[in-house]
Amino acid sequence: MVKTVLITGASSGIGKATASIFAKNGYNLIITGRREDKLEEVKSKLKKKYAVKIKTLVFDVRKLPAVKKAIQSLEGEWSKIDILVNNAGLAMGLDPIHKGNIMHWETMIDTNVKGLLYITRLVAPKMVERKDGHIINICSTAGKDIYPNGAVYCASKSAVDMLTKGMRLDFYKFGIKVSQVAPGMVEETEFAITRFEGDEKKANIYSDFKPLSSKDVSETIFYIATRPKHVNIQDVLMMSVQQAGSNFVDRSGR
Ligand code: NDP
Ligand code: 8X3
């Protein structure tokens, strides 16, 4: 039986790489994001290479009515989601609290925390009914360790860390796996350009060391998703060799 994986935030970065590895391995995909053109591009590239079914859902995870409409539109085979990858997320700004942009805070909390909860609330009931399913949350080293000027992003990812643990307690008795990947800095993503609102100079944060790639993270997600039925990988903290923690990056060159 072909499995279906729903990946939020699959229009770029880690989500896009995750869509690719699952398609390569014969999974049907539901890929989501706000940018329809990017999702269609991902879909058509993958459809050309792999004989899998792909559905795109365009919505903003911060908007509960839109999330409801999108998830409730899934019918027939699409309504059976085997794996949910809660990946959509972002950082905005890098400022001390007393100078923080409150709209940035709202966006990070609404996306990284409330959006992840909305999706899970709508997808999980059918997993509970079937007593089968797997939820994989994308956290960050930022959810494990604070860094200066990143308090709100770190807090939002720390919330993801705790939500992962809470979901596991709520779902384990239904045979549902809950896992998490917490990566350090990852290139081949739009993370930095989003954080610095298109300022390429400020977003140039990966040129003096070799960070993880989106492919590295996607391979870990795929590994977690493909363990035997009785095995749950609870949490993977992964960084590039040149990173030893949120505040320790060897920037001596790639
Ligand atoms: P990208 O910016 O490349 O990807 C972010 C994805 O999230 C996009 O597909 C974007 O789609 C989607 N997204 C953002 N906001 C919303 C929204 N409101 N509604 C729906 N979709 C949304 O960055 P990454 O791939 O790096 O980020 C993926 C996850 O990985 C995030 O949760 C991030 O916090 C986490 N992470 C990233 C690290 C890094 O260094 N890059 C390290 C550790 C964790 P669209 O714009 O089309 O809506
Ligand atoms: C992304 C990693 O250190 O840039 O979550 O915040 S970091």
Side-chain angles (χ1 to χ4, degrees):
M1 181 80 178
V2 178
K3 287 193 173 181
T4 298
V5 53
L6 187 155
I7 305 160
T8 65
S11 51
S12 64
I14 294 168
K16 181 175 163 182
T18 304
S20 178
I21 193 167
F22 276 96
K24 187 176 172 189
N25 285 280
Y27 287 69
N28 290 334
L29 307 181
I30 302 168
I31 53 175
T32 87
R34 289 164 301 177
R35 290 170 297 171
E36 187 168 13
D37 55 333
K38 296 274 177 194
L39 285 177
E40 288 302 329
E41 211 177 282
V42 172
K43 177 177 172 177
S44 81
K45 273 195 186 151
L46 293 178
K47 291 278 283 180
K48 272 185 202 139
K49 281 171 89 175
Y50 311 115
V52 294
K53 294 180 186 167
I54 305 179
K55 192 177 195 53
T56 57
L57 289 178
V58 181
F59 62 91
D60 186 327
V61 295
R62 292 172 297 175
K63 302 196 170 135
L64 182 58
V67 180
K68 266 191 185 159
K69 193 171 164 207
I71 302 299
Q72 286 169 356
S73 76
L74 296 169
E75 291 179 332
E77 60 181 339
W78 291 112
S79 67
K80 183 179 168 285
I81 296 162
D82 298 287
I83 303 162
L84 166 63
V85 182
N86 272 321
N87 165 75
L90 79 181
M92 291 201 76
L94 193 64
D95 298 299
I97 292 285
H98 64 288
K99 290 185 184 166
N101 175 325
I102 289 174
M103 285 315 292
H104 288 169
W105 297 357
E106 308 270 19
T107 304
M108 289 187 278
I109 292 167
D110 287 353
T111 310
N112 301 352
V113 184
K114 290 165 70 180
L116 179 144
L117 275 171
Y118 293 161
I119 297 275
T120 308
R121 177 65 182 85
L122 286 155
V123 170
K126 286 216 166 91
M127 291 182 169
V128 170
E129 241 172 63
R130 294 197 317 269
K131 292 197 162 46
D132 190 37
H134 196 166
I135 297 168
I136 305 174
N137 292 334
I138 307 307
C139 182
S140 168
T141 44
K144 307 278 187 181
D145 195 6
I146 192 74
Y147 55 82
N149 304 322
V152 179
Y153 177 65
C154 291
S156 75
K157 286 297 181 178
S158 184
V160 172
D161 194 38
M162 202 50 79
L163 287 171
T164 300
K165 290 175 183 152
M167 286 179 197
R168 191 173 303 115
L169 294 183
D170 291 344
F171 295 145
Y172 82 97
K173 48 191 173 292
F174 299 108
I176 298 169
K177 299 186 189 188
V178 180
S179 306
Q180 178 172 278
V181 182
M185 295 169 86
V186 186
E187 65 180 350
E188 297 169 358
T189 71
E190 296 176 14
F191 180 85
I193 202 79
T194 298
R195 169 167 245 171
F196 297 110
E197 295 173 281
D199 184 331
E200 290 186 7
K201 212 167 156 199
K202 282 191 184 164
N204 179 22
I205 57 174
Y206 308 121
S207 57
D208 53 5
F209 82 108
K210 185 160 178 56
L212 296 172
S213 68
S214 54
K215 184 166 176 274
D216 296 327
V217 181
S218 74
E219 286 169 354
T220 301
I221 295 168
F222 186 72
Y223 176 82
I224 289 172
T226 50
R227 292 312 84 214
K229 198 168 166 47
H230 67 290
V231 177
N232 181 40
I233 307 285
Q234 299 210 350
D235 198 359
V236 175
L237 177 62
M238 61 187 293
M239 288 170 238
S240 95
V241 173
Q242 284 181 280
Q243 181 169 14
S246 280
N247 298 294
F248 301 95
V249 179
D250 166 19
R251 293 189 178 275
S252 61
R254 290 172 78 106

